[in-house]
């Protein structure tokens, strides 16, 4: 689980999110509305749902392109439960919640490092970002 999370407000722009991802060397931000987690936006979302759809990145908000209807896990769930949820719902990231509070994010790469440390995906996921 990653605990070094970046959250951004649902009303922040795509430009702001892209700059944050670049500066933090990450590929996603958790989207919030007040204290509520309302979505996730990835760098791919910005490219496909934003730029490719010819949306103005300085005016389009994260709320408009974020993946919503999030599937979450508890911090007490194990890696097998997380992997099963990812498989069932075809998602690559799961917010980790504790009493309705965001405490982490588990990605498919995190699971690879935990469950298959010798795999190519684990090697890639464990490496430092190259951007």
């Amino acid at each position: 689980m990653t605990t070094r999370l970046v959250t951004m407000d649902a009303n922040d722009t795509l430009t702001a999110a892209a700059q944050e991802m670049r500066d933090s060397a990450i590929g996603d931000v958790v989207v919030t509305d007040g204290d509520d987690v309302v979505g996730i936006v990835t760098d791919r979302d910005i490219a496909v749902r934003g730029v490719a759809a010819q949306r103005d990145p300085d005016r389009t908000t994260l709320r408009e392109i974020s993946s919503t209807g999030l599937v979450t896990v508890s911090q007490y769930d194990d890696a097998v439960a997380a992997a099963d949820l990812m498989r069932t719902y075809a998602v690559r990231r799961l917010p980790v919640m504790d009493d309705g509070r965001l405490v982490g994010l588990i990605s498919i790469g995190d699971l690879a490092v935990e469950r298959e440390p010798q795999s190519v995906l684990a090697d890639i996921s464990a490496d430092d970002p190259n951007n």
Side-chain angles (χ1 to χ4, degrees):
M1 171 175 80
T2 301
T3 57
R4 194 193 91 177
L5 297 173
V6 174
T7 62
M8 294 186 75
D9 187 82
N11 294 314
D12 286 335
T13 66
L14 302 190
T15 299
Q19 290 169 341
E20 182 63 43
M21 289 180 197
R22 177 199 61 206
D23 295 346
S24 298
I26 57 174
D28 59 77
V29 295
V30 178
V31 181
T32 58
D33 186 0
D35 291 334
D36 297 327
V37 174
V38 296
I40 294 177
V41 168
T42 67
D43 47 7
R44 185 175 191 282
D45 293 329
I46 292 170
V48 173
R49 295 180 185 166
V51 176
Q54 297 182 332
R55 292 177 177 252
D56 181 346
D58 291 322
R59 294 180 187 222
T60 303
T61 65
L62 298 182
R63 180 183 316 278
E64 296 174 67
I65 68 154
S66 66
S67 298
T68 59
L70 297 178
V71 179
T72 65
V73 292
S74 160
Q75 66 178 348
Y76 304 108
D77 289 332
D78 63 17
V80 173
D84 286 345
L85 284 171
M86 286 180 176
R87 183 179 303 112
T88 299
Y89 292 98
V91 296
R92 297 175 183 212
R93 294 166 184 84
L94 297 170
V96 180
M97 307 297 285
D98 180 28
D99 263 347
R101 185 176 59 88
L102 179 67
V103 295
L105 187 75
I106 188 162
S107 71
I108 198 165
D110 295 330
L111 288 179
V113 170
E114 173 71 23
R115 306 269 305 156
E116 298 178 20
Q118 303 305 315
S119 70
V120 172
L121 180 56
D123 285 344
I124 294 167
S125 298
D127 266 351
D128 291 331
N130 64 359
N131 54 347

